[in-house]
Amino acid sequence: MERKWWHDQVVYQIYPRSFMDSNSDGIGDLNGIKSKLWYLHRLGVQIIWLCPVYRSPNRDNGYDISDYYQIMEEFGTLEDMCALIEECKNYNISIIMDLVLSHSSDLHEWFQQSRSSRDNPYREYYIWKDPVEGKEPTAEKAFFGGSVWEWDEKTAQYYRHTFCKEQPDLNWNNSRLRRELYKMIRFWMDKGIKGFRLDAIDNIAKDEQGRHDTASGKVHEFLRELNENTFGTAKHLVTVGETGSAGIEDAKLYSDPKRRELDMIFQFEVMGIDGTRTGTVEPKEYTLKDLKQVMSKWQAELDDVGWNSLFWSNHDYPRAVSRFGNDSPKYRTVSAKMLATLLHGMKGTPYIYQGEELGMTNIAFNGIYDYRDIETLNFYEEKKAEGWPKERIMEYIYQNSRDNARTPMQWDASKYAGFSDTAPWIRLNPNYTEINAAKNLADKHSVFYYYKKLIELRHTMDVLVYGTYQLEYEAHPQVFSYTRRYHDESVLVICNFCEASCSIPLNLSFEDKDVLISNYETRQKKNSILYLRPYEALMIQTGGKAR
Ligand code: ISL
Ligand code: CA
């Protein structure tokens, strides 16, 4: 496999609205991010992915763009963005920008033109259809509730929106639109952006009826053209496509370097394993064996072709430790470290979502009035109308709301958590007095320093970057373990996923110096049995030079 500069790196995802407020309006901004680069540098990350910072009316917090060439007023100016890019260089940090190419805001000039008349030159930038038998042309449902079709009185046609109705889908069948997008991307490349995360990019192909086209392979044609006209023309860029619908075979097509589409994709098989955001409201039961099976399958299948992205959460999903670990005071830290060990030992690019390196947790606000996410708010209204009792709706929201991940970054224990000196746009998680960056930085056993060490290991050990993957103890109900191998180097990762202690047979003698990292200080091994305490995790070097 050809080595790439980003292969041994870890990406840190920033949700700018909730990261750091520099001008006391309660909203995170670019200068706020700039003021915290030292922190990211200390953690050791060299790539940050910025969620959208373009001009936007914020129906969907920046994922509804009204001007791709401008910065959102609340976040700052184009000068601030250039200054951030410059300052990042001093810390050896590259920026990946979020590209929302599947849709725009309804307030974008293109859509304003498009909806003004049927013969407007921008009409074909969006997807307009006549009614079929007096109704919506297809039965597809939008992600944020209702039909994907919205009736527009003025020109008497429907337009399509995969997400909310203020996010009309761009019509990729129109080559003029595509060229406009390429031009815009080159504008940002010229500003020094080192990569892109392509939002909902599997959504761009539509068939004649305006339906989401997943079968024809057109999405791959579009991506190759995009690549050829933009990021493919520059070396040293990295791209990751968000592809909610992708299975293994799609992933190979998207991320096989020979095909020149994308470097890697986000697939959502783990994110959907318990039913969260899969379109059903019933929670899905799953076991650790299911999780092992899904993660191992992706490791094996993308081993030679393509590249994995590894993540436990992002701005659309609940907090990792609350969802896959244990966020009770007793086990929060140890289980957060266990999850980190498991993920960062795998092959692919790990992504850290802001606050995950502190073990930040989910939130349960008292009432719907404290929630801000459009998906959550629409869900609440929809279920209320269906007659769900309020308690049931809130229970669901506590588990699943995207706002779990969007409460402000917890910097310290001062009022407003050091995020701002005024009330933030969304309420803080009250546990900020306990869980915050200052406290983590002051404690060498913190989750923060654990992540730092994992990042360092990846920078120094080829086996973690390029090694093969083999699942161990497959049938064990509470241990997730695997071996990585690269030439004569090998590493064994062992994670107890549960609160209960357990044991495994281990015919291997190892010393403390062979333990690359662990969330416990001592080992419990007798004869050939390794005893594992609650959420215990170890990464052991089992072969190679240093041993
Ligand atoms: O398809 C999915 C999972 O199978 C969804 O998670 C889907 O990929 C996701 O909702 C798309 O999210 C992205 O685009 C949205 C935006 O609200 C999200 O924040 C963004 O991550 C619309 O732009
Ligand atoms: Ca601000």
Side-chain angles (χ1 to χ4, degrees):
M1 176 179 287
E2 195 197 329
R3 295 193 174 207
K4 296 276 171 60
W5 65 273
W6 44 267
H7 274 163
D8 66 353
Q9 307 223 347
V10 172
V11 181
Y12 188 91
Q13 182 190 352
I14 293 184
Y15 196 67
R17 209 174 181 77
S18 302
F19 192 66
M20 180 65 200
D21 175 22
S22 72
N23 63 346
S24 310
D25 62 357
I27 298 173
D29 48 57
L30 296 179
N31 286 332
I33 297 170
K34 201 169 72 180
S35 74
K36 293 294 186 187
L37 291 177
W38 66 268
Y39 168 85
L40 301 174
H41 184 67
R42 187 168 301 177
L43 182 59
V45 291
Q46 293 173 0
I47 302 179
I48 53 182
W49 149 26
L50 284 187
C51 285
V53 296
Y54 314 89
R55 187 76 40 101
S56 165
N58 284 307
R59 285 292 292 168
D60 187 19
N61 287 354
Y63 283 96
D64 47 329
I65 297 171
S66 55
D67 187 341
Y68 289 93
Y69 290 91
Q70 296 292 334
I71 296 296
M72 189 190 304
E73 274 124 330
E74 293 159 324
F75 288 177
T77 62
L78 193 54
E79 286 68 47
D80 295 334
M81 184 65 195
C82 294
L84 176 63
I85 297 169
E86 261 325 288
E87 185 69 359
C88 276
K89 291 184 189 153
N90 296 330
Y91 291 96
N92 197 17
I93 290 175
S94 309
I95 298 182
I96 290 184
M97 266 180 120
D98 220 315
L99 279 179
V100 189
L101 308 177
S102 122
H103 47 270
S104 74
S105 161
D106 61 336
L107 299 186
H108 194 290
E109 175 64 21
W110 298 338
F111 190 70
Q112 294 295 314
Q113 295 282 344
S114 185
R115 79 186 326 178
S116 67
S117 74
R118 286 198 188 199
D119 54 14
N120 185 283
Y122 289 91
R123 186 69 172 178
E124 297 301 319
Y125 272 38
Y126 295 86
I127 301 167
W128 293 95
K129 295 286 169 207
D130 289 324
V132 173
E133 290 162 12
K135 289 205 310 266
E136 288 85 3
T138 73
E140 288 162 280
K141 292 276 164 249
F143 264 98
F144 303 153
S147 164
V148 297
W149 298 104
E150 181 73 11
W151 180 248
D152 204 49
E153 205 52 66
K154 180 147 191 235
T155 55
Q157 274 190 319
Y158 287 101
Y159 68 84
R160 185 190 159 104
H161 59 90
T162 302
F163 296 92
C164 77
K165 66 179 193 320
E166 292 85 359
Q167 290 167 300
D169 283 5
L170 289 163
N171 178 15
W172 274 69
N173 290 326
N174 184 280
S175 61
R176 203 157 68 93
L177 163 86
R178 299 202 302 274
R179 283 199 301 275
E180 289 252 27
L181 294 175
Y182 305 156
K183 189 176 96 195
M184 176 275 290
I185 296 168
R186 289 195 297 264
F187 169 85
W188 288 107
M189 283 167 56
D190 289 344
K191 295 266 178 284
I193 292 304
K194 284 288 156 20
F196 298 100
R197 178 259 188 197
L198 295 91
D199 186 68
I201 200 67
D202 53 344
N203 187 49
I204 58 179
K206 307 281 163 39
D207 67 13
E208 279 303 304
Q209 280 71 43
R211 284 178 307 222
H212 185 190
D213 168 2
T214 47
S216 76
K218 203 154 73 180
V219 64
H220 300 289
E221 265 169 56
F222 286 148
L223 281 172
R224 284 201 293 277
E225 188 190 276
L226 169 67
N227 178 308
E228 218 175 276
N229 284 279
T230 60
F231 35 81
T233 61
K235 282 200 174 121
H236 301 300
L237 289 196
V238 55
T239 54
V240 49
E242 190 209 27
T243 54
S245 64
I248 299 264
E249 293 314 313
D250 305 307
K252 289 182 184 166
L253 298 178
Y254 286 124
S255 70
D256 178 353
K258 287 200 290 294
R259 293 175 53 89
R260 296 176 183 280
E261 295 185 20
L262 300 167
D263 289 319
M264 58 187 143
I265 59 152
F266 291 126
Q267 50 83 12
F268 288 86
E269 229 182 309
V270 171
M271 287 298 107
I273 200 162
D274 58 0
T276 297
R277 299 192 72 241
T278 41
T280 52
V281 289
E282 293 309 325
K284 226 165 74 193
E285 291 292 328
Y286 76 98
T287 63
L288 181 65
K289 271 182 83 176
D290 301 329
L291 187 69
K292 290 198 232 185
Q293 189 265 325
V294 169
M295 292 179 101
S296 302
K297 177 182 74 181
W298 281 93
Q299 288 288 298
E301 292 280 339
L302 292 196
D303 188 39
D304 300 324
V305 186
W307 189 260
N308 270 295
S309 50
L310 310 165
F311 61 104
W312 280 126
S313 80
N314 62 32
H315 64 294
D316 290 334
Y317 286 89
R319 287 280 175 184
V321 70
S322 301
R323 188 175 180 201
F324 296 106
N326 182 332
D327 64 6
S328 73
K330 190 161 175 203
Y331 294 122
R332 185 183 60 84
T333 306
V334 75
S335 68
K337 291 175 183 173
M338 182 277 290
L339 291 172
T341 317
L342 187 92
L343 200 80
H344 287 242
M346 288 188 172
K347 185 169 179 181
T349 299
Y351 288 75
I352 301 172
Y353 179 66
Q354 69 182 41
E356 180 186 322
E357 78 285 10
L358 308 174
M360 276 177 65
T361 67
N362 278 354
I363 183 75
F365 292 130
N366 285 335
I368 190 67
Y369 42 82
D370 281 331
Y371 284 86
R372 297 287 176 267
D373 170 27
I374 180 155
E375 181 177 87
T376 303
L377 300 175
N378 286 358
F379 178 85
Y380 184 88
E381 289 309 324
E382 199 176 292
K383 294 301 157 195
K384 205 170 75 180
E386 284 174 25
W388 278 33
K390 213 156 106 190
E391 295 67 37
R392 177 160 178 228
I393 308 180
M394 292 316 291
E395 206 41 55
Y396 181 89
I397 288 174
Y398 293 159
Q399 295 290 326
N400 297 286
S401 172
R402 304 196 296 179
D403 281 340
N404 279 314
R406 298 178 181 185
T407 59
M409 186 67 180
Q410 296 167 195
W411 293 105
D412 59 39
S414 67
K415 198 176 180 194
Y416 308 125
F419 166 76
S420 178
D421 45 26
T422 188
W425 68 277
I426 184 170
R427 285 179 59 183
L428 284 152
N429 190 320
N431 66 18
Y432 72 87
T433 50
E434 273 308 304
I435 305 170
N436 61 60
K439 229 175 140 172
N440 268 257
L441 289 171
D443 169 10
K444 67 179 198 313
H445 298 296
S446 66
V447 181
F448 179 92
Y449 288 116
Y450 198 89
Y451 269 88
K452 183 181 172 68
K453 180 136 188 230
L454 285 170
I455 295 168
E456 275 167 16
L457 285 173
R458 185 164 281 262
H459 286 159
T460 49
M461 297 189 70
D462 272 353
V463 60
L464 292 178
V465 183
Y466 296 107
T468 56
Y469 170 96
Q470 184 187 320
L471 183 66
E472 311 281 0
Y473 305 99
E474 190 173 346
H476 200 293
Q478 71 182 77
V479 171
F480 195 152
S481 168
Y482 57 86
T483 304
R484 300 286 310 278
R485 284 192 187 86
Y486 189 66
H487 300 298
D488 65 338
E489 288 187 80
S490 57
V491 167
L492 174 65
V493 175
I494 303 169
C495 294
N496 176 8
F497 247 77
C498 301
E499 188 178 326
S501 302
C502 66
S503 66
I504 51 169
L506 186 65
N507 263 326
L508 169 86
S509 62
F510 63 92
E511 296 167 31
D512 267 349
K513 72 166 177 42
D514 303 321
V515 178
L516 297 167
I517 191 166
S518 173
N519 53 359
Y520 282 79
E521 302 242 318
T522 56
R523 275 12 91 195
Q524 292 193 333
K525 187 159 181 277
K526 262 196 216 103
N527 304 323
S528 292
I529 305 281
L530 179 68
Y531 296 89
L532 296 166
R533 287 151 286 189
Y535 303 105
E536 182 162 353
L538 308 99
M539 204 182 263
I540 309 170
Q541 185 159 27
T542 49
K545 296 172 207 98
R547 228 179 106 88

